[in-house]
Amino acid sequence: MTHWVNTTHDWAASVDRDHLNAIRADADRYAPGGVLHLVLEVLAYADDEAESAGERGVCSVRLYDDGSIAIADNGRGTDTRVDEQGKVVKKPVMATKDLRFFDDPSAPLLPDGHPRRGMSVVAALSDWLVHTNRRTNGSWTQRYEHGIPVTSLDPIDSDGSTGTTVRFRPSYGEVVDLTPYLRFPHLDIRSLRKK
């Protein structure tokens, strides 16, 4: 992995506990507005994916009665590679720092007017998060608790699609009306509530 180029995250480690602890210690700084900001952090990745593909992406936001939220997109899925030992390795987006935004005082603003920090903020500030990743070369899922992986990268059957689903239950806060904020330049977003 030492020869893999780090563009958004450092491939050398799958978990940065100090980083996750710092987020949890200052949640109001990293997720001002609580749940809304967490949703927007996830949507920003789907928007990036659609922009890089040069097309309009489709994304859904589903609210569940248990307080969890699932955001699914139709992109390529999170970058997943095979290391020198033949082990599948997923880009560590959930449990390490986003090199583009986290420490950048001029990070782009999300639709809530607060700076983008990265997906690790969502994972760190959630009781649990399940990242399901579908790519053309395979599909996997992994569960996190407070940003720490508690399962391995488990293969799942392909359903013929590609994309990412992030389902998480925020550790604090309540869902507000998301509708005014669901605007990203490269995404068509549907918001659904599960009964």
Side-chain angles (χ1 to χ4, degrees):
M1 288 190 297
T2 56
H3 63 279
W4 293 354
V5 176
N6 295 327
T7 55
T8 64
H9 293 79
D10 186 349
W11 286 86
S14 60
V15 179
D16 182 341
R17 289 176 186 269
D18 290 341
H19 169 68
L20 296 169
N21 289 336
I23 293 168
R24 284 194 296 275
D26 201 356
D28 290 339
R29 175 181 178 194
Y30 295 113
V35 176
L36 170 63
H37 191 80
L38 300 180
V39 169
L40 297 177
E41 288 279 11
V42 180
L43 288 170
Y45 276 86
D47 190 63
D48 286 349
E49 178 67 18
E51 180 180 22
S52 70
E55 56 191 44
R56 194 141 187 90
V58 177
C59 197
S60 67
V61 178
R62 183 177 296 266
L63 309 177
Y64 289 86
D65 290 338
D66 67 356
S68 67
I69 301 161
I71 300 170
D73 69 56
N74 67 340
R76 296 172 295 181
T78 305
D79 193 1
T80 306
R81 303 175 185 179
V82 178
D83 70 11
E84 295 85 2
Q85 290 80 37
K87 179 183 174 189
V88 176
V89 179
K90 176 175 52 71
K91 185 191 291 187
V93 297
M94 296 298 168
T96 66
K97 185 184 300 187
D98 190 311
L99 302 173
R100 302 167 297 172
F101 308 123
F102 193 80
D103 293 321
D104 184 354
S106 62
L109 301 181
L110 294 172
D112 62 358
H114 298 293
R116 185 173 177 188
R117 298 294 182 214
M119 196 74 81
S120 60
V121 170
V122 182
L125 298 177
S126 293
D127 293 337
W128 55 262
L129 180 150
V130 177
H131 182 194
T132 302
N133 187 36
R134 297 185 180 278
R135 291 178 63 84
T136 56
N137 64 337
S139 299
W140 302 269
T141 191
Q142 189 166 31
R143 182 181 170 97
Y144 299 77
E145 293 178 4
H146 303 288
I148 306 296
V150 294
T151 67
S152 58
L153 192 59
D154 296 327
I156 57 174
D157 291 337
S158 174
D159 65 2
S161 68
T162 61
T164 302
T165 301
V166 176
R167 183 171 176 180
F168 62 99
R169 188 174 67 206
S171 297
Y172 72 99
E174 295 182 15
V175 176
V176 298
D177 181 13
L178 301 172
T179 309
Y181 302 95
L182 298 182
R183 55 182 191 276
F184 284 82
H186 308 285
L187 284 180
D188 292 325
I189 303 170
R190 296 174 292 151
S191 181
L192 311 165
R193 176 172 281 283
K194 182 174 183 193
K195 299 294 182 191

